[in-house]
């Protein structure tokens, strides 16, 4: 299953670099890059942290195409 | 814990234990020429590098518990690939040794560095963990 996400666009809206977003989420810049490029799908706890950080529901950020 | 701090702690602990391991291996190699008499003290001395191997394993274990989930995932996959490669290599070579007396006998000692070599290369190349 391919899960797409809007993390890069949301980060751009805030004007944050990958490193800054990583600091907010307590993950590394490389990890932010892995999630943005779809190489890694975050766990539920991390997905919730991302959703809370951007003030949106998880479904707005992650789309499994169904 | 912040991943950067976890990485820093890991590198510091791993470098320290690696240097200790190299020093201990050189030390027992030097002693081997003089005291390799098969006595219990000689065997105990020959196991000194194991202390540093345990320290390396501990620093790796601590890092996996402290880093973020993406790095954890990548490292686990790289380790699995490393283990699979080592099992195929050691199993294949061992079977070949059974049927061919001319093949050189390779010590089980080499499993440790070969695993870390493969694990390190996969981490760097496949998951670009240096970036």
């Amino acid at each position: 299953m391919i899960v797409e996400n809007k993390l890069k666009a949301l980060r751009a809206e805030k004007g944050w670099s990958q490193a800054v977003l990583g600091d907010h989420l307590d993950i590394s810049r490389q990890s932010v890059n892995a999630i943005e490029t779809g190489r890694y799908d975050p766990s539920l706890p991390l997905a919730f942290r991302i959703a809370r950080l951007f003030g949106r529901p998880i479904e707005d950020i992650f789309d499994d195409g169904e | 814990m912040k991943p950067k701090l976890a990485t820093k702690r890991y590198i510091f602990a791993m470098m320290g234990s690696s240097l200790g391991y190299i020093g201990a291996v050189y030390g027992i190699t030097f002693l081997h020429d003089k005291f390799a008499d098969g006595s219990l003290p000689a065997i105990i001395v020959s196991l000194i590098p194991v202390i540093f191997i345990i320290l390396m394993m501990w620093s790796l274990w601590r890092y996996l518990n402290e880093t973020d989930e993406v790095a954890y995932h990548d490292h686990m996959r790289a380790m699995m690939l490393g283990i699979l490669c080592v099992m195929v290599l050691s199993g294949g070579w061992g079977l070949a040794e059974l049927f061919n007396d001319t093949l050189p006998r390779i010590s089980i000692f080499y499993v440790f560095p070969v695993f870390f070599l493969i694990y390190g290369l996969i981490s760097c190349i496949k998951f670009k963990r240096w970036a």
Side-chain angles (χ1 to χ4, degrees):
Chain A
M1 179 189 288
I2 297 169
V3 178
E4 293 180 353
N5 69 74
K6 297 175 187 164
L7 199 56
K8 192 173 182 179
L10 292 169
R11 178 173 63 78
E13 277 178 20
K14 295 264 188 188
W16 290 342
S17 65
Q18 288 182 339
V20 170
L21 178 57
D23 282 343
H24 281 291
L25 295 169
D26 268 353
I27 61 175
S28 67
R29 184 192 62 76
Q30 294 94 328
S31 298
V32 171
N33 185 58
I35 296 169
E36 281 186 358
T37 54
R39 190 172 66 72
Y40 178 81
D41 293 326
S43 66
L44 263 180
L46 180 54
F48 273 114
R49 290 213 308 272
I50 292 168
R52 276 193 209 104
L53 181 65
F54 290 106
R56 294 183 180 219
I58 286 180
E59 297 90 331
D60 268 12
I61 302 171
F62 297 97
D63 180 16
D64 66 353
E66 291 191 15
Chain B
M1 176 178 286
K2 295 278 182 190
K4 267 185 189 172
L5 181 58
T7 304
K8 197 181 276 184
R9 278 158 59 95
Y10 168 66
I11 290 171
F12 186 75
M14 185 55 100
M15 288 294 283
S17 48
S18 299
L19 289 173
Y21 174 74
I22 291 167
V25 168
Y26 270 107
I28 62 162
T29 305
F30 173 74
L31 289 174
H32 179 267
D33 299 334
K34 297 181 176 180
F35 303 109
D37 54 5
S39 64
L40 185 62
I43 292 170
I44 291 170
V45 168
S46 74
L47 293 175
I48 288 174
V50 175
I51 296 167
F52 296 99
I53 292 175
I54 292 169
L55 283 173
M56 281 188 231
M57 298 298 116
W58 166 76
S59 59
L60 187 55
W61 181 259
R62 186 180 66 172
Y63 173 68
L64 289 173
N65 284 308
E66 290 178 346
T67 192
D68 65 54
E69 63 181 62
V70 187
Y72 178 87
H73 173 264
D74 288 350
H75 280 281
M76 292 307 283
R77 289 194 67 189
M79 278 187 210
M80 276 308 299
L81 286 168
I83 289 168
L84 292 175
C85 288
V86 166
M87 286 199 294
V88 168
L89 286 172
S90 60
W93 192 271
L95 287 170
E97 277 182 357
L98 286 177
F99 293 95
N100 191 331
D101 290 336
T102 59
L103 274 178
R105 267 39 181 172
I106 297 178
S107 297
I108 199 167
F109 162 87
Y110 287 105
V111 164
F112 177 68
V114 168
F115 164 73
F116 269 96
L117 181 70
I118 296 170
Y119 160 49
L121 284 174
I122 292 169
S123 290
C124 290
I125 296 167
K126 188 166 173 54
F127 302 118
K128 298 190 172 99
R129 273 281 153 201
W130 72 86

